[in-house]
Amino acid sequence: MRKFLVFLSMIAVLFLVACSGDDNAGDSGDKVKVKIGVNGADGELWPILKEKAAKENIEIELIEFQDYTLPNNALAQGDLDMNAFQHIAFLGQYVKESGEDIVPIGSTMLAPMGLYSEKIKDVSELQKGDKIAIPDDPSNQARALRLLEGADLITLADDFGMFGDPSQVVDNPLNLEIIPMTAQQTPRVLPDVAGSIINNGIAGQAGFSPNEDPILKEEVTDDSTHPYVNVLAVRSEDKNNETYLRLVELYQDADVEEAIKKDTNDGAFLVKLTSEQLEKVFEDMKK
């Protein structure tokens, strides 16, 4: 009988040890894999972030996309765990149109948009009837038109909002021909237009210095630029996932900030919005 009781005690101890091991699975060396959709993975940023994450047993797998729609579709369908390629305004418009339940969980960088040209050095050199290329996705199209308005080249309707289009240009003294097109095409058409408004990241990929090469660039102010702050996005069900939130924290470390500056030739910089700021701007963008 005594031997039987000893045997039961040993079984109980083993059971408790096993349960304890299960409770601390995240600390026992188990690796968590996170698939992140990106639009370009060149430069130092992602290797640095991957190395930092690996030290915490988080393996980042980057999935590259060539356009601005597929990364959100892939995330919504469960093919990705997270994506990192878009600003809040773009995500808000996507969610509004698609009905998909994707949310931002952390801010990353702000990349001012610029007007580039192979033919002129200053916007004052623009001539009547000149062609200007702009991105055609709703949020960046409106952003590009506001850039032109800020340079007094056009005037937009009072109700233009965050997602207006060229039909809401109410005054165009130079009769500029504004040509919306896929964002990736904007640098490629430079030989055929007087100027092209190019997203910061695409400009960098095309070999431009987003800090030095634009003949016109967005003025960076506080609240007005929040809709254009890039974000890490996940499905709503994962917004409190500790691993994903930890990646947000790692992204906002100083060495990642330096990598952003280096990768973009000081054309973009890290922005740390609070969760309250992030939620407010995102909700505004979905209206």
Side-chain angles (χ1 to χ4, degrees), residues 7-281:
F7 175 75
L8 288 179
S9 298
M10 293 174 63
I11 293 295
V13 169
L14 290 172
F15 177 77
L16 290 173
V17 169
C19 289
S20 175
D22 288 341
D23 288 343
N24 296 288
D27 300 322
S28 63
D30 294 344
K31 185 176 290 186
V32 179
K33 188 172 185 178
V34 181
K35 291 184 179 180
I36 305 179
V38 298
N39 191 265
D42 297 335
E44 297 185 7
L45 189 163
W46 288 110
I48 288 176
L49 188 61
K50 289 173 75 171
E51 183 179 353
K52 291 167 69 68
K55 292 178 180 178
E56 302 192 15
N57 290 319
I58 304 171
E59 179 186 350
I60 294 176
E61 179 183 353
L62 299 179
I63 311 296
E64 293 196 58
F65 295 85
Q66 298 302 316
D67 74 11
Y68 282 172
T69 303
L70 292 177
N72 278 331
N73 292 342
L75 178 59
Q77 293 164 10
D79 297 326
L80 299 174
D81 301 307
M82 177 185 294
N83 66 37
F85 76 100
Q86 64 194 323
H87 52 57
I88 305 172
F90 185 93
L91 177 58
Q93 184 69 10
Y94 173 83
V95 169
K96 181 179 179 180
E97 292 180 351
S98 69
E100 299 290 359
D101 199 8
I102 298 175
V103 298
I105 61 166
S107 59
T108 57
M109 68 177 80
L110 176 65
M113 181 178 277
L115 175 66
Y116 296 76
S117 178
E118 293 181 352
K119 299 176 180 177
I120 61 175
K121 300 295 184 182
D122 190 273
V123 292
S124 63
E125 299 174 39
L126 285 168
Q127 302 294 314
K128 285 187 178 293
D130 274 347
K131 297 178 179 180
I132 303 291
I134 66 172
D136 67 356
D137 59 275
S139 59
N140 283 318
Q141 180 173 244
R143 184 181 179 187
L145 291 170
R146 286 200 178 278
L147 179 60
L148 295 177
E149 183 182 48
D152 296 323
L153 294 170
I154 60 173
T155 301
L156 301 171
D158 291 339
D159 61 350
F160 183 76
M162 289 298 302
F163 304 107
D165 59 51
S167 70
Q168 292 173 280
V169 175
V170 296
D171 190 25
N172 186 357
L174 290 177
N175 195 29
L176 298 173
E177 184 180 351
I178 299 171
I179 309 171
M181 62 183 62
T182 303
Q184 283 77 9
Q185 294 295 325
T186 51
R188 300 172 190 170
V189 299
L190 277 170
D192 305 313
V193 296
S196 186
I197 295 181
I198 308 175
N199 294 349
N200 189 295
I202 292 175
Q205 292 170 14
F208 293 107
S209 169
N211 190 45
E212 299 175 359
D213 292 337
I215 62 173
L216 176 66
K217 189 169 63 172
E218 284 178 315
E219 292 293 331
V220 179
T221 56
D222 292 333
D223 293 352
S224 65
T225 61
H226 285 178
Y228 307 121
V229 171
N230 285 9
V231 293
L232 291 164
V234 299
R235 291 180 296 280
S236 180
E237 64 196 57
D238 294 326
K239 65 182 180 181
N240 295 317
N241 182 292
E242 293 184 4
T243 298
Y244 301 164
L245 292 174
R246 180 56 182 153
L247 287 179
V248 171
E249 293 175 347
L250 293 176
Y251 196 109
Q252 295 178 345
D253 280 351
D255 50 353
V256 174
E257 181 174 13
E258 287 304 311
I260 290 171
K261 292 179 180 179
K262 186 171 182 178
D263 289 345
T264 64
N265 293 316
D266 288 323
F269 52 92
L270 189 69
V271 176
K272 299 180 181 180
L273 296 184
T274 65
S275 57
E276 291 78 12
Q277 288 175 312
L278 204 59
E279 183 176 359
K280 181 182 185 305
V281 178

